[in-house]
Amino acid sequence: MKSLFLILFLLFIQYTSFSQENNNVVIEDKTLEGQFDKINRISTSYQTYKVISKDKFQKLKNNVLDSIKASNKDLKEQKVLLKNERDNVAKLNAELNKTKEDLKKAQEKENSISLFGFQISKVTYNLILWLIIISLALALAFFVFKFSKSNILTKKAKEDLEDVEQEFEVHRKKSLEREQKLRRQLQDEINKQRNS
């Protein structure tokens, strides 16, 4: 029974080692590092050296050269892509600078007004406009003041003229009455002198 148990145990160990080897074959790494590891694992040893079969060495060499060619091809493609991207970045920077310049011009144009052919800022324009408005308002106030003062003086002069005219009229009437009275008296005296 022990021998049967021992045989079954050995078969089990052999089966598990065989499955692990099959699993290793299935999981075989196709990268260069994996291929070097496989060569190292399956090659035989002689003293401190590893003995590799020529066909496996040639296959590994071809794989390495193919990988180098593919890497060089990828590197060239990356360089072309990098150059294209740098060109695109340069174009975009040029467009960005042009856009910034256009924006600056548009902001200057927006913030300025053309007055008599000169571009002046809106602040200066507003300042000039308000100075003109204030000057005109002050001039208007001055002329209104002068007009009202002249109007008052004119009304006073008219009133004085009317007073003088009334006084003159009163004086003229009195003078006329006095003159008429004096003529009557003179006529009366002349009549008295004739009659006497």
Side-chain angles (χ1 to χ4, degrees):
M1 183 83 138
K2 277 185 171 178
S3 60
L4 181 65
F5 184 67
L6 186 61
I7 292 172
L8 285 174
F9 181 70
L10 289 175
L11 283 174
F12 177 74
I13 291 175
Q14 195 175 19
Y15 175 75
T16 55
S17 66
F18 178 74
S19 343
Q20 285 177 353
E21 285 177 11
N22 284 344
N23 285 343
N24 287 344
V25 170
V26 172
I27 303 177
E28 184 177 311
D29 193 2
K30 297 290 184 183
T31 64
L32 286 178
E33 184 178 355
Q35 290 177 22
F36 275 110
D37 288 342
K38 181 180 177 186
I39 289 285
N40 189 29
R41 195 174 59 245
I42 63 172
S43 62
T44 58
S45 296
Y46 173 72
Q47 294 178 356
T48 60
Y49 305 105
K50 283 285 194 178
V51 178
I52 303 171
S53 67
K54 287 183 178 181
D55 58 335
K56 289 183 181 178
F57 174 76
Q58 192 62 38
K59 183 179 178 185
L60 179 63
K61 178 183 169 187
N62 289 339
N63 287 342
V64 168
L65 290 176
D66 287 343
S67 295
I68 291 173
K69 284 179 186 176
S71 295
N72 284 339
K73 183 181 177 185
D74 286 345
L75 184 63
K76 286 179 183 177
E77 288 175 0
Q78 294 298 324
K79 283 182 180 178
V80 168
L81 285 174
L82 182 62
K83 183 181 181 295
N84 289 340
E85 290 300 318
R86 284 182 180 162
D87 291 344
N88 285 342
V89 167
K91 284 179 188 177
L92 290 174
N93 282 337
E95 288 178 13
L96 177 65
N97 290 336
K98 185 178 183 288
T99 303
K100 283 181 180 178
E101 196 64 34
D102 291 344
L103 177 63
K104 185 179 176 184
K105 286 178 184 176
Q107 286 175 337
E108 286 175 0
K109 188 174 183 181
E110 183 181 327
N111 292 331
S112 65
I113 294 175
S114 179
L115 182 67
F116 304 120
F118 297 107
Q119 289 290 335
I120 58 173
S121 69
K122 284 186 178 180
V123 174
T124 307
Y125 175 78
N126 285 336
L127 183 65
I128 291 172
L129 184 66
W130 281 108
L131 283 174
I132 290 172
I133 290 171
I134 290 170
S135 299
L136 289 174
L138 289 174
L140 178 65
F142 176 74
F143 287 119
V144 166
F145 173 73
K146 282 291 197 180
F147 175 76
S148 64
K149 188 175 178 182
S150 296
N151 196 19
I152 290 170
L153 290 175
T154 305
K155 283 182 180 179
K156 187 173 187 231
K158 283 183 179 180
E159 289 173 0
D160 290 345
L161 180 63
E162 285 177 8
D163 289 344
V164 168
E165 283 180 350
Q166 286 176 354
E167 286 177 13
F168 178 72
E169 190 63 33
V170 168
H171 177 69
R172 189 179 66 82
K173 284 182 182 179
K174 285 182 181 178
S175 296
L176 192 61
E177 287 176 6
R178 223 181 303 139
E179 188 180 319
Q180 286 175 353
K181 192 175 181 185
L182 281 176
R183 279 189 186 166
R184 277 191 214 138
Q185 286 175 356
L186 181 64
Q187 190 65 42
D188 287 344
E189 284 298 317
I190 291 176
N191 288 339
K192 274 187 190 178
Q193 288 289 332
R194 275 191 204 167
N195 288 338
S196 31

